[in-house]
């Protein structure tokens, strides 16, 4: 079930004090960004924030749940009317994410090289290849 735009707008308004908050529609749900840093999602009209060590230390009592099937656990913010608590959590989370080194991207070049070598070993050249004679 997709989230309602009114709920998304309400959460974004509640978080305005945390920074430049914006939402972006993703796969029928919404991703949330603070100063162009992805920090949470809204799925099925529920607000989830990424778990960081700093956020865990500041709010150890917050429930955790996956926003969708197969996802990692996130903080589930049940009381979206508590503006001060949500804003504090988002600030802490975004600071932690800014200071965290970015993940390395997939090594697609290795896969490409493997695919090329497999293709070259399976496909025979159209012309015979002359190899130098080694005595």
């Amino acid at each position: 079930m997709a989230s309602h735009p009114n709920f998304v707008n309400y959460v974004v308004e509640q978080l305005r004090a945390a920074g430049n908050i914006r939402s972006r529609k993703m796969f029928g749900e919404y991703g949330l960004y603070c100063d162009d840093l992805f920090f949470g999602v809204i799925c099925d009209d529920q607000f989830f924030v990424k778990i960081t060590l700093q956020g865990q230390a500041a709010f150890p009592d917050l429930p955790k749940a996956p926003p969708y099937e197969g996802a990692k656990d996130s903080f589930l913010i049940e009381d979206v009317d508590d503006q001060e608590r949500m804003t504090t959590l988002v600030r802490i989370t975004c600071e932690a994410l800014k200071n965290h080194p970015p993940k390395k991207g997939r090594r697609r070049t290795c896969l490409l090289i493997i695919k090329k070598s497999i293709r070259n070993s399976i496909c025979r050249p159209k012309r015979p290849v002359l190899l130098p004679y080694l005595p």
Side-chain angles (χ1 to χ4, degrees), residues 50-64:
K50 284 186 173 187
I51 296 175
T52 61
L53 292 175
Q54 295 84 343
Q56 182 77 30
F59 297 96
D61 59 329
L62 279 178
K64 298 174 193 82

Side-chain angles (χ1 to χ4, degrees), residues 12-57:
V12 168
E13 278 302 312
Q14 290 287 86
L15 296 172
R16 286 287 177 213
N20 182 19
I21 305 293
R22 68 181 176 89
S23 64
R24 181 174 174 204
K25 194 160 182 137
M26 302 175 141
F27 310 109
E29 298 297 349
Y30 293 86
L32 294 175
Y33 295 82
C34 179
D35 301 324
D36 293 324
L37 182 69
F38 180 80
F39 72 89
V41 294
I42 295 178
C43 295
D44 293 330
D45 287 336
Q46 293 180 311
F47 177 38
F48 296 89
V49 176
K50 284 186 173 187
I51 296 175
T52 61
L53 292 175
Q54 295 84 343
Q56 182 77 30

Side-chain angles (χ1 to χ4, degrees), residues 26 43 57 66 69 75 77 89 100 108 111 115 124 130:
M26 302 175 141
C43 295
E69 189 175 327
F75 288 123
I77 311 304
L89 175 62
H100 190 269
R108 294 177 192 208
L111 293 175
K115 284 181 182 178
R124 305 264 180 221
L130 299 175

Side-chain angles (χ1 to χ4, degrees), residues 100-117:
H100 190 269
K103 290 182 180 179
K104 293 183 180 179
R106 291 184 185 172
R107 299 185 135 224
R108 294 177 192 208
T109 54
C110 293
L111 293 175
L112 184 60
I113 292 169
I114 291 169
K115 284 181 182 178
K116 282 184 179 179
S117 65

Side-chain angles (χ1 to χ4, degrees), residues 79-113:
D79 184 10
V80 294
D81 296 322
D82 189 350
Q83 184 177 11
E84 184 178 333
R85 188 172 189 185
M86 285 192 336
T87 300
T88 303
L89 175 62
V90 169
R91 282 183 182 157
I92 290 171
T93 300
C94 290
E95 271 306 310
L97 293 173
K98 284 179 190 174
N99 296 330
H100 190 269
K103 290 182 180 179
K104 293 183 180 179
R106 291 184 185 172
R107 299 185 135 224
R108 294 177 192 208
T109 54
C110 293
L111 293 175
L112 184 60
I113 292 169

